[in-house]
Amino acid sequence: MVLQRLGHLLLATLLTLAISAYADDQPCTLHHGGNFYDLSPLKARKDYELDIEGGRKFYLNVCRGITTDPWNAGVSEGDGDIAGLIRRDHGDFAIGIVNTTLEMVEGGLMIRQFNGSPCKSMDNVRGSSSIRFICDTSVFAAGKPALIDKFPQNTDEACHYEFEWKTHFACPTGERGFLSGLLVSCIITAMIFLMLYTVASTLYNRFVLRLSGPQLMPKFTLQHAYELLDVSYELVHSLLDRFGVTSGSWRSRGRRDLNTASHHWVSREEERTVFASDSPEPDLEDAAPERELEPLNTQQDPESDHDEADGTVRL
């Protein structure tokens, strides 16, 4: 019964991992038209820098926030991580909050970012930007973004920016299928179970069987696996029982300990009962005989009676 439930749990875990691996909601990834796109390699520890007209500098990153510290950008930490900013005289201008959702627009990948710094020339409007990624196999590195347009055209009042980014990471790759995801999930799960079994078997041999030396090595046998499952089940049940998770209170059941000789859990009351039944009873034959009381001599000496009658006392 325990192995059957364990098998059902393992199967459900594998299916869940496979479905999650096949899902297309991973950050900066997209499944489209039988192809798989992944822009997560474009994340950089150091921001991408580019110079624009007027000597301004742009700091930009992809799929994560910028590492450059913003100054007077008008964006609070609760709004999210800043995707990029431009240095200005009276403070930095954020061009949007990080967005990891890819879109397929006119055959190319695009990321749109909103809720940046408040725009000076427009009320209730905040900075925004869009990055269009172009597949270019001739660019072996990550490539570099290029500013192609802004609105308004005034550099100090621009509120929306458009970039173009040529990189080979924007090229489609083979879409990861369900079977491949299931295979990867099976391999990862098997490795995890192998590590857990190795640790559990070593601890079992050391603290339960009291083995040492080379005998501590885990045993990969069916009988040994049954023993580990049995001890693990009783250990978990005892812990739940001790903290009152199962029916009844642990105070009413008493504290439980592991008997390393029989691999079973016994209570303190059971131990006292066993010890009481094994204690030797007193041997009646070896006990010292009780001292017999000597009978009282009720007969008196006739001469003493005669002397007492005459009133004479003999010394």
Side-chain angles (χ1 to χ4, degrees), residues 81-192:
D81 296 329
I82 297 176
L85 59 82
I86 179 176
R87 295 290 191 188
R88 291 181 177 175
D89 295 334
H90 302 288
D92 298 335
F93 184 83
I95 61 174
I97 301 300
V98 173
N99 181 22
T100 58
T101 302
L102 299 183
E103 302 179 41
M104 183 63 67
V105 179
E106 298 179 357
L109 297 176
M110 180 175 289
I111 292 181
R112 305 176 192 270
Q113 300 164 138
F114 305 94
N115 299 324
S117 300
C119 299
K120 295 181 178 180
S121 58
M122 292 173 282
D123 296 334
N124 300 324
V125 178
R126 304 183 73 90
S128 61
S129 60
S130 60
I131 307 175
R132 184 179 180 86
F133 297 90
I134 299 177
C135 172
D136 191 345
T137 56
S138 63
V139 181
F140 297 99
K144 192 174 183 180
L147 180 64
I148 58 176
D149 198 4
K150 61 181 180 296
F151 177 81
Q153 294 299 320
N154 188 344
T155 303
D156 293 333
E157 296 182 355
C159 193
H160 176 77
Y161 294 84
E162 295 183 0
F163 298 89
E164 185 179 85
W165 197 325
K166 294 182 180 181
T167 175
H168 74 279
F169 289 113
C171 300
T173 59
E175 188 171 15
R176 182 173 48 189
F178 177 79
L179 293 180
S180 61
L182 180 60
L183 179 61
V184 173
S185 301
C186 290
I187 295 175
I188 295 176
T189 305
M191 293 179 62
I192 294 175

Side-chain angles (χ1 to χ4, degrees), residues 275-283:
F275 292 156
S277 61
D278 293 340
S279 60
E281 297 181 357
D283 192 356

